[in-house]
Amino acid sequence: MTEEQVTQDQVTQDRAVAPREWTVFSPSCPSRESLARIANKWTAMIVILLHESPLRFSQLHDGVGGISKKVLVDTLRALERDGMVEHAREPDGHARYRLTALGRTLHEPLLALQAWAESYVEQVLEARQRYDTALDERILAGVPPYEP
């Protein structure tokens, strides 16, 4: 048996076992790291932007308002390392970032999160205002702010 066959057999065997073992609730599970990457606000915005077409670094930087160049570089490198984004030179000679097949699987769930965030922003802002007002009232009344 060749090394390639052994590696492929191991991958197949790992896939058969892995779904029962991976859980984001275990601190040592690598799926927790994947969840942290996916749940990152910058990751979500980058994946949503790259779904439309490959983009140059400057286009991504312009498209993701408020992100520093350092954070964009770090996020793109992490996404590339995780197999979700690739950085490649296009036929026009420019380097662009694009989603891989794995990265494209994130588009729908992240688009749903975007839709939720934009649809419920008013309710969230109202809840924050109610919470902050109640907290201020407790403090002014001399009640410890977080006592049950």
Side-chain angles (χ1 to χ4, degrees):
M1 189 176 284
T2 68
E3 184 178 326
E4 185 175 316
Q5 289 171 317
V6 171
T7 304
Q8 184 58 42
D9 289 345
Q10 184 62 42
V11 168
T12 303
Q13 184 179 11
D14 288 348
R15 285 185 185 151
V17 174
R20 292 189 303 266
E21 295 177 6
W22 301 132
T23 174
V24 295
F25 296 103
S26 170
S28 62
C29 183
S31 65
R32 184 178 277 198
E33 203 174 318
S34 293
L35 180 60
R37 172 95 47 247
I38 295 162
N40 177 286
K41 69 180 177 180
W42 303 120
T43 293
M45 289 185 257
I46 290 167
V47 168
I48 290 167
L49 283 175
L50 287 177
H51 184 262
E52 298 301 319
S53 66
L55 296 172
R56 295 175 66 185
F57 181 88
S58 61
Q59 293 171 308
L60 279 168
H61 188 256
D62 292 344
V64 181
I67 192 170
S68 71
K69 289 181 179 181
K70 181 190 182 327
V71 170
L72 180 56
V73 166
D74 291 346
T75 305
L76 287 167
R77 284 182 181 160
L79 289 169
E80 191 171 6
R81 181 174 184 247
D82 288 349
M84 295 182 237
V85 167
E86 64 184 10
H87 185 225
R89 190 146 313 270
E90 297 288 313
D92 65 5
H94 292 111
R96 288 187 174 78
Y97 292 90
R98 74 174 78 241
L99 292 177
T100 63
L102 180 62
R104 285 191 295 278
T105 66
L106 289 173
H107 185 254
E108 288 300 317
L110 293 178
L111 203 57
L113 288 174
Q114 176 191 6
W116 186 92
E118 293 171 354
S119 296
Y120 293 99
V121 67
E122 289 180 24
Q123 289 92 325
V124 170
L125 293 174
E126 290 167 4
R128 286 180 187 171
Q129 183 61 46
R130 285 191 305 276
Y131 180 91
D132 292 345
T133 299
L135 184 62
D136 289 346
E137 290 172 359
R138 288 179 67 98
I139 292 169
L140 290 173
V143 177
Y146 298 108
E147 186 176 275

